Amino acid sequence: QVQLVESGGGLVQAGGSLRLSCVASGRTFARYSGGWFRQAPGKEREFVAGLSWSSGTPYYADSVKGRFTISRDNVKNTVYLQMNNLKPEDTAVYYCAATWKPVSQNLADFGSWGQGTQVTVSS
């Protein structure tokens, strides 16, 4: 397992941007695929974006395509989520996660989770 710590959340107006960071420690993070999930009040946790460790290919939920970008820096053991053109419906707690699988959007496949960071988008 790896340990994950997120940062970068906050309050932003609609149309604004935020960049979330997730720093990993523990086992070799380069062999994990990183992912971002979010959970809004009263809703289930949902997949947002992922980045395959084997191919480097990013994949996104339809709701964030064209607005969010996931990237990673294996030297810094960090995964980023750049969020542009934020909307009020993006308001949620955002969680970083890691999986051994090369590609997955399934929450159950991710064995390591951060504590979450709050993102609030005002209209």
Side-chain angles (χ1 to χ4, degrees):
Q1 299 292 341
V2 294
Q3 291 74 50
L4 305 171
V5 178
E6 304 100 332
S7 62
L11 173 64
V12 64
Q13 289 187 331
S17 298
L18 284 173
R19 188 176 80 156
L20 306 183
S21 300
C22 172
V23 179
S25 61
R27 304 187 69 176
T28 305
F29 186 59
R31 297 299 300 272
Y32 284 81
S33 294
W36 288 94
F37 291 76
R38 66 186 181 187
Q39 188 166 17
K43 295 187 177 181
E44 294 186 352
R45 194 170 297 188
E46 64 176 3
F47 171 79
V48 174
L51 189 60
S52 170
W53 69 261
S54 59
S55 68
T57 302
Y59 45 104
Y60 301 95
D62 288 343
S63 59
V64 306
K65 280 181 181 177
R67 301 189 297 122
F68 291 12
T69 302
I70 186 172
S71 61
R72 67 190 293 163
D73 183 332
N74 286 338
V75 174
K76 296 182 178 180
N77 279 352
T78 302
V79 176
Y80 303 97
L81 185 67
Q82 177 66 43
M83 305 185 295
N84 297 329
N85 191 21
L86 283 160
K87 304 176 180 181
E89 52 263 43
D90 294 319
T91 295
V93 177
Y94 283 71
Y95 297 89
C96 175
T99 176
W100 279 107
K101 294 195 171 185
V103 176
S104 179
Q105 300 183 26
N106 186 351
L107 185 150
D109 288 334
F110 289 78
S112 299
W113 292 86
Q115 82 287 353
T117 185
Q118 176 71 45
V119 171
T120 303
V121 184
S122 63
S123 58

